[in-house]
Amino acid sequence: MFIVENYAMAVVLCFITMMCWGSWGNTQKLAAKTWRYELFYWDYVIGMLLFSLLIGFTLGSIGSEGRHFIDDLSQASWASIGSVLIGGVVCFLRQSLWPGCRWRFRSESASRLCSA
């Protein structure tokens, strides 16, 4: 496990995290002109899953302090893991089967526009 030991590194990592918050929206806007939404969603989800596993097995297991990635996973209860998997499947099916209903933002406020 990677443990941050000084304040400056913690601030840098928080800044990087804040930059990644908009990754879905920004990449979807960049790809919207040439890429169908459904295909983009599949590629994005699979890419994020593979990237998180790669980071977990590499950076999540460096250092001599704390637990390793596998130890953290084995600590989680099966009920919690099942809830996450069910939530992911529901979101995935919702986006794949009904992609016309998405959050879109107007200049005045956020509104939900669903097309049939």
Side-chain angles (χ1 to χ4, degrees):
M1 175 192 287
F2 183 74
I3 298 176
V4 179
E5 297 191 13
N6 62 18
Y7 183 73
M9 179 58 84
V11 171
V12 168
L13 291 175
C14 286
F15 182 72
I16 291 171
T17 301
M18 287 188 294
M19 288 177 49
C20 293
W21 280 342
S23 64
W24 165 260
N26 292 334
T27 53
Q28 202 274 330
K29 286 177 188 175
L30 290 172
K33 297 176 183 125
T34 59
W35 212 342
R36 285 187 46 194
Y37 178 76
E38 299 85 358
L39 299 176
F40 173 77
Y41 185 82
W42 275 81
D43 288 347
Y44 188 86
V45 169
I46 292 169
M48 291 302 287
L49 174 70
L50 294 176
F51 183 70
S52 63
L53 288 174
L54 175 74
I55 293 297
F57 282 114
T58 56
L59 295 178
S61 297
I62 64 171
S64 60
E65 298 187 25
R67 294 182 305 266
H68 292 284
F69 179 66
I70 296 296
D71 297 334
D72 280 337
L73 283 181
S74 64
Q75 184 181 7
S77 69
W78 285 105
S80 299
I81 293 172
S83 295
V84 168
L85 291 175
I86 290 171
V89 167
V90 167
C91 288
F92 186 77
L93 290 176
R94 187 239 172 250
Q95 291 291 337
S96 295
L97 298 177
W98 191 22
C101 188
R102 294 179 250 163
W103 288 97
R104 298 189 187 226
F105 296 97
R106 292 186 182 171
S107 58
E108 309 90 47
S109 64
S111 64
R112 190 171 183 169
L113 301 174
C114 295
S115 60

